[in-house]
């Protein structure tokens, strides 16, 4: 499933760019607590970008099952909801957006559990 490698690489690229923007473009423009929030979003985006790349590599070596596919798509949903909400929160200061972040975290957790189950059954 080269789609997961491509999506993972795009997200890794974005994480590097957004990390640089946060470190250089936001410094002095947002409160330090929001810089930390931004950094958390970047870290989790990168971790899960690497997870997506791993899923793509695994699916190229074994017959990909629905567990593996769901794991990849949930990692992408998690990046959008978790990291995306933290980025928007940092830039806007709208605290209610923090309510979206846990849904992304749950998507990440489910994605990792599905990957564990896939590995236990098929590897």
């Amino acid at each position: 499933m080269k789609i997961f490698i491509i999506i993972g690489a795009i997200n890794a690229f974005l994480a590097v760019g957004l990390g640089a923007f946060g470190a250089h473009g936001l410094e002095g423009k947002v409160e330090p607590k929001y810089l930390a929030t931004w950094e958390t979003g970047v870290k989790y985006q990168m971790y899960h970008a690497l997870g997506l790349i791993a899923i793509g590599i695994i699916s190229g070596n074994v017959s990909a099952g629905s567990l593996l596919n769901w794991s990849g798509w949930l990692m992408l949903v998690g990046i959008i909801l978790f990291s995306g909400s933290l980025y928007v929160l940092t830039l806007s200061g709208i605290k209610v957006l923090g309510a979206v972040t846990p849904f992304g975290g749950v998507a990440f957790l489910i994605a990792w559990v599905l990957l564990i189950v896939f590995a236990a059954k098929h590897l």
Side-chain angles (χ1 to χ4, degrees):
M1 295 277 294
K2 69 180 178 180
I3 189 71
F4 289 128
I5 295 173
I6 292 168
I7 292 170
I10 289 169
N11 273 285
F13 171 86
L14 289 171
V16 171
L18 290 166
F21 174 71
H24 303 291
L26 293 179
E27 189 174 21
K29 294 184 174 102
V30 298
E31 296 176 39
K33 73 175 184 174
Y34 285 125
L35 280 178
T37 298
W38 186 273
E39 185 178 324
T40 298
V42 169
K43 280 193 244 182
Y44 276 77
Q45 183 172 0
M46 182 58 83
Y47 298 152
H48 291 87
L50 295 173
L52 283 164
I53 291 168
I55 288 171
I57 292 169
I58 293 166
S59 67
N61 293 321
V62 298
S63 73
S66 63
L67 289 172
L68 195 58
N69 288 330
W70 273 106
S71 178
W73 292 118
L74 284 168
M75 281 194 192
L76 178 60
V77 167
I79 289 170
I80 293 166
L81 294 177
F82 186 90
S83 296
S85 67
L86 293 179
Y87 299 147
V88 174
L89 170 65
T90 298
L91 295 174
S92 69
I94 302 171
K95 292 182 172 56
V96 72
L97 291 170
V100 174
T101 309
F103 292 105
V106 169
F108 286 152
L109 292 169
I110 295 170
W112 288 111
V113 167
L114 292 176
L115 184 56
I116 292 165
V117 172
F118 174 84
K121 285 185 173 185
H122 300 288
L123 297 181

